[in-house]
């Protein structure tokens, strides 16, 4: 628990996932299952990762949980198969991040939780030659995507995601990073997002174009990020 980013601890503390059916995308060796089991008690946990080595470790360490090897973008889960879908320290390495998020929302019935490095001043960068890190396992370069917060935030509002409430907590990263980024590292924010969904089938009216609709009351916001106010949204 103490080794998690404070933003990740915040999102887990402000949501009670006890008794839920949960999918952890990019679960590695299953460490998050141990944390969540200690935090929430009873939990129906499924971990998914592309690494067979990591999944074999996870199955050996936590035989009571379910683990699977596979690429999430090629998953065969049914829509709404899980109450909550999580992805910690994963989205920043996904060049097809919009499709990745869309799949998280499709598979989740109640909420989607993920972490991301964001910044306010530069466009989202998906360029393996300009923003990257060396993967600790193979030594190969992997994408490191510093998201423009506004671009990511706006995407979460598209109607098919059925977002009822978007909560974000983050802070400027105090620790060093092994990533090479095409912007000042001091401008990167370690953030965690929780998007709660409307129940399936509930009708939501989304209107715009006139001042009286400016508040977007169909989606609540709880944004706690440095140097950002409600006026910026």
């Amino acid at each position: 628990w103490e080794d998690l980013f404070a933003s990740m601890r915040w999102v887990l503390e402000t949501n009670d996932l006890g008794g839920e059916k949960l999918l952890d995308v990019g679960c590695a060796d299953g460490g998050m299952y141990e944390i969540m089991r200690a935090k929430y008690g009873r939990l129906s946990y499924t971990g998914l990762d592309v690494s067979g080595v990591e999944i074999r470790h996870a199955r050996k360490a936590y035989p009571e949980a379910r683990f699977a090897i596979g690429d999430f973008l090629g998953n065969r889960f049914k829509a709404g198969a899980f109450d909550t879908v999580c992805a910690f320290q994963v989205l920043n390495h996904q060049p097809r991040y919009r499709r990745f998020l869309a799949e998280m929302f499709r598979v989740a019935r109640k909420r989607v939780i993920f972490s991301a490095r964001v910044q306010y001043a530069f466009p989202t960068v998906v360029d393996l030659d300009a923003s990257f890190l060396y993967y600790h396992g193979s030594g190969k370069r992997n994408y490191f995507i510093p998201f423009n917060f506004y671009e990511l935030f706006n995407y979460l509002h598209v109607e098919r995601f059925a977002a009822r409430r978007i909560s974000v907590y983050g802070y400027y990263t105090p620790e060093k990073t092994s990533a090479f980024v095409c912007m000042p590292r001091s401008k990167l924010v370690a953030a965690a997002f929780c998007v709660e969904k409307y129940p399936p089938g509930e009708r939501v009216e989304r209107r715009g174009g006139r001042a009286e609709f400016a508040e977007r009351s169909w989606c609540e916001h709880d944004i706690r990020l440095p140097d950002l106010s409600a006026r910026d949204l």
Side-chain angles (χ1 to χ4, degrees):
W1 179 259
E2 292 75 17
D3 293 333
L4 296 178
F5 281 101
S7 51
M8 292 167 62
R9 292 199 302 268
W10 175 84
V11 78
L12 294 177
E13 286 171 345
T14 54
N15 291 278
D16 184 3
L17 308 183
E20 291 197 357
K21 190 175 182 181
L22 182 139
L23 174 65
D24 183 12
V25 183
C27 67
D29 63 359
M32 281 303 298
Y33 168 68
E34 184 174 1
I35 291 172
M36 290 183 173
R37 182 181 59 182
K39 177 70 176 174
Y40 304 117
R42 187 170 60 88
L43 187 72
S44 177
Y45 176 98
T46 298
L48 178 70
D49 201 279
V50 296
S51 171
V53 173
E54 297 278 23
I55 290 298
R56 284 192 289 273
H57 280 295
R59 287 171 174 167
K60 184 176 180 180
Y62 311 109
E64 70 278 15
R66 181 175 180 267
F67 294 95
I69 303 169
D71 182 352
F72 181 58
L73 292 181
N75 80 81
R76 296 184 179 181
F77 298 124
K78 293 182 180 179
F82 299 89
D83 295 311
T84 298
V85 178
C86 298
F88 296 111
Q89 308 291 72
V90 175
L91 194 67
N92 283 99
H93 311 305
Q94 301 296 322
R96 293 182 288 176
Y97 64 91
R98 289 188 180 181
R99 183 182 165 196
F100 191 93
L101 283 170
E103 276 299 293
M104 291 183 72
F105 279 101
R106 184 187 70 82
V107 174
R109 185 176 67 86
K110 294 173 63 175
R111 70 176 67 80
V112 165
I113 294 173
F114 63 92
S115 62
R117 297 293 182 94
V118 302
Q119 40 76 33
Y120 313 128
F122 303 91
T124 297
V125 178
V126 186
D127 187 336
L128 193 55
D129 292 326
S131 190
F132 60 89
L133 54 72
Y134 286 98
Y135 181 59
H136 70 275
S138 65
K140 295 181 179 179
R141 276 185 299 141
N142 194 7
Y143 287 92
F144 187 88
I145 303 170
F147 292 100
N148 177 276
F149 169 74
Y150 305 104
E151 181 261 328
L152 184 59
F153 179 73
N154 288 347
Y155 183 57
L156 298 177
H157 287 82
V158 299
E159 64 278 2
R160 70 182 184 276
F161 296 161
R164 183 181 66 82
R165 179 181 175 85
I166 299 174
S167 302
V168 189
Y169 171 75
Y171 50 91
Y172 289 119
T173 50
E175 53 276 306
K176 295 180 180 179
T177 175
S178 60
F180 293 84
V181 293
C182 48
M183 60 193 61
R185 294 183 183 184
S186 60
K187 300 299 183 182
L188 288 179
V189 174
F193 292 70
C194 177
V195 184
E196 300 171 42
K197 299 179 63 175
Y198 281 98
E202 183 167 339
R203 180 183 171 142
V204 182
E205 290 192 359
R206 298 168 175 85
R207 299 171 182 265
R210 301 210 305 260
E212 57 264 38
F213 302 130
E215 293 301 316
R216 290 189 291 197
S217 59
W218 46 269
C219 185
E220 300 178 32
H221 300 149
D222 180 11
I223 313 299
R224 307 182 189 188
L225 295 177
D227 299 330
L228 196 72
S229 71
R231 294 191 304 274
D232 296 318
L233 305 178

